[in-house]
Amino acid sequence: MNDLLLYQNQLAGSQHTSQVAASQHVQDPQLGKFLQRYIHFEHFNIAQLCWQLDQELELQTDRLEAGINMNFMLSGGIYSEFETLPQPVRLKPMEHNLLFTCDSSGTHLFPTGTLLHNLHVSLSTEYFKSICTEEFRLSDLLLNSIERQSPILASAHNGNITSHMLQTIKGILECPFEGAVQKLYLEGKVLELLALQFENLQSTKERETRVLSKDTALAEEIRLYLEQHYMELASLQQLAKMFGTNEYKLKKVFRERFGRGVFTYAQELRLVHGLDLLTSGEKNVAQVAELLGYSHANHFTTAFRKHFGYPPSRVRK
């Protein structure tokens, strides 16, 4: 993503040479200090950005060549929106993600106040296809996106940069070699970093799926309890104790699953029960209101009208 900034320094013309390396220190009186290091090989590029911004910076990038982009935000942050990507890309300190882009312009916002340190590695699509197989879920996702030429973020949630990743990144940034040995060494480190990124993002996704499954099961258990006990509902504290959780978690998972609070859901169940009673003709409005626990029939009428769109008196007619 960010190596485009270096293209602005006339490095774009080096795309078809065997190897180009550049390092640039810049101090802008309005924006702050910049260190940009860039190295280009035939199938992959490496860019390191160290920026100390004195004010917020917004950059527009032109259309990108298709490629796999590995981003590691060591400090600072970035917010990016791509023309053909449905969701924005946000990276906070010590976060990473993987992105396939093609023929897409973008807007990138960089905040002030902290040192921005970013490592960006881009792989050509042909190179990526030659080293990855469809056996791994994330590579399968990216390979399918390459085939469709449809930009995609590898994971909806960023991964956390691990100590192993930091060691590999340090090896890339402090490469002691030059020439052919440098290429061999850096290519090995890039592949190691890609493998670590795949494993980390996949583990993150699996953990989130497990948490989601547990939360969904909890919400369904609560729903089942409410449908059986909506007439004598316990307090939130009692419900939380009953389901082995806390009040905040109980409310959160239930609302995320059903789009309403626990007591709102229970009230709707009581109102449906009230409708059944009125339809059967067993009781009048005042009796149903009292049975459902309303202190006054008018309160029941208001709630009934809000939920069903008509007053309870119409049911008996």
Side-chain angles (χ1 to χ4, degrees):
M1 191 186 310
N2 298 328
D3 56 339
L4 290 171
L5 308 177
L6 296 157
Y7 293 159
Q8 295 172 355
N9 296 314
Q10 299 182 341
L11 290 175
S14 67
Q15 287 277 347
H16 302 292
T17 60
S18 60
Q19 177 185 338
V20 171
S23 180
Q24 185 179 42
H25 292 265
V26 179
Q27 182 160 357
D28 186 287
Q30 292 182 327
L31 294 177
K33 298 178 181 179
F34 300 79
L35 166 63
Q36 303 178 154
R37 297 176 60 198
Y38 176 85
I39 186 166
H40 168 75
F41 293 102
E42 183 179 1
H43 299 301
F44 66 95
N45 305 322
I46 299 172
Q48 178 193 10
L49 300 181
C50 290
W51 293 0
Q52 183 68 59
L53 296 176
D54 295 332
Q55 64 184 44
E56 186 178 81
L57 177 63
E58 177 177 329
L59 290 173
Q60 303 286 333
T61 53
D62 295 328
R63 296 195 172 275
L64 298 169
E65 292 185 9
I68 299 295
N69 298 272
M70 304 161 58
N71 266 286
F72 299 85
M73 189 60 61
L74 302 170
S75 65
I78 184 174
Y79 175 89
S80 298
E81 290 184 349
F82 291 92
E83 187 180 80
T84 54
L85 195 68
Q87 75 270 48
V89 181
R90 297 180 178 90
L91 281 178
K92 297 177 182 178
M94 296 300 289
E95 288 186 344
H96 69 93
N97 214 325
L98 234 134
L99 174 69
F100 167 63
T101 56
C102 62
D103 195 30
S104 177
S105 59
T107 301
H108 314 283
L109 297 177
F110 303 88
T112 58
T114 58
L115 175 69
L116 181 145
H117 190 188
N118 173 253
L119 175 71
H120 173 259
V121 180
S122 60
L123 311 175
S124 72
T125 54
E126 291 305 314
Y127 181 65
F128 183 80
K129 288 191 291 185
S130 72
I131 60 176
C132 291
T133 69
E134 297 180 356
E135 296 173 4
F136 199 80
R137 196 176 305 169
L138 278 182
S139 61
D140 186 28
L141 176 71
L142 291 166
L143 289 169
N144 286 335
S145 297
I146 291 172
E147 187 68 26
R148 299 193 309 271
Q149 288 295 286
S150 175
I152 192 171
L153 195 61
S155 175
H157 301 279
N158 299 327
N160 294 317
I161 296 176
T162 64
S163 57
H164 195 165
M165 287 180 180
L166 285 175
Q167 288 181 332
T168 308
I169 290 170
K170 183 179 180 181
I172 291 173
L173 299 181
E174 299 178 0
C175 175
F177 306 110
E178 294 182 357
V181 177
Q182 180 195 49
K183 178 184 181 300
L184 189 63
Y185 176 86
L186 288 177
E187 185 170 8
K189 289 295 181 184
V190 164
L191 293 178
E192 179 183 347
L193 195 55
L194 179 63
L196 293 173
Q197 193 169 33
F198 269 178
E199 192 280 332
N200 184 261
L201 289 176
Q202 187 63 53
S203 297
T204 299
K205 184 172 289 189
E206 288 173 354
R207 284 195 300 271
E208 289 167 352
T209 300
R210 287 195 296 269
V211 170
L212 180 61
S213 298
K214 289 179 181 178
D215 288 353
T216 300
L218 174 60
E220 289 292 344
E221 288 178 17
I222 297 168
R223 178 190 63 78
L224 182 60
Y225 175 85
L226 294 180
E227 290 183 351
Q228 296 172 349
H229 301 88
Y230 59 85
M231 292 297 292
E232 65 277 356
L233 193 60
S235 67
L236 271 178
Q237 185 179 18
Q238 292 170 322
L239 284 172
K241 185 176 180 180
M242 188 182 306
F243 289 100
T245 185
N246 56 63
E247 294 179 41
Y248 172 80
K249 180 70 176 290
L250 183 139
K251 292 189 293 184
K252 180 176 181 293
V253 300
F254 192 87
R255 184 174 291 277
E256 287 178 350
R257 177 68 173 168
F258 299 107
R260 53 179 69 78
V262 171
F263 292 122
T264 300
Y265 191 87
Q267 181 192 45
E268 291 173 355
L269 292 173
R270 287 196 295 270
L271 289 172
V272 171
H273 180 55
L275 175 63
D276 292 339
L277 293 174
L278 291 171
T279 303
S280 68
E282 296 177 11
K283 298 182 183 297
N284 60 33
V285 173
Q287 290 172 325
V288 171
E290 182 180 4
L291 179 66
L292 296 183
Y294 287 89
S295 58
H296 197 281
N298 286 343
H299 297 162
F300 168 66
T301 298
T302 300
F304 190 97
R305 185 195 296 270
K306 183 178 180 180
H307 184 66
F308 293 108
Y310 53 87
S313 57
R314 184 180 298 178
V315 179
R316 293 186 60 77
K317 293 180 180 180

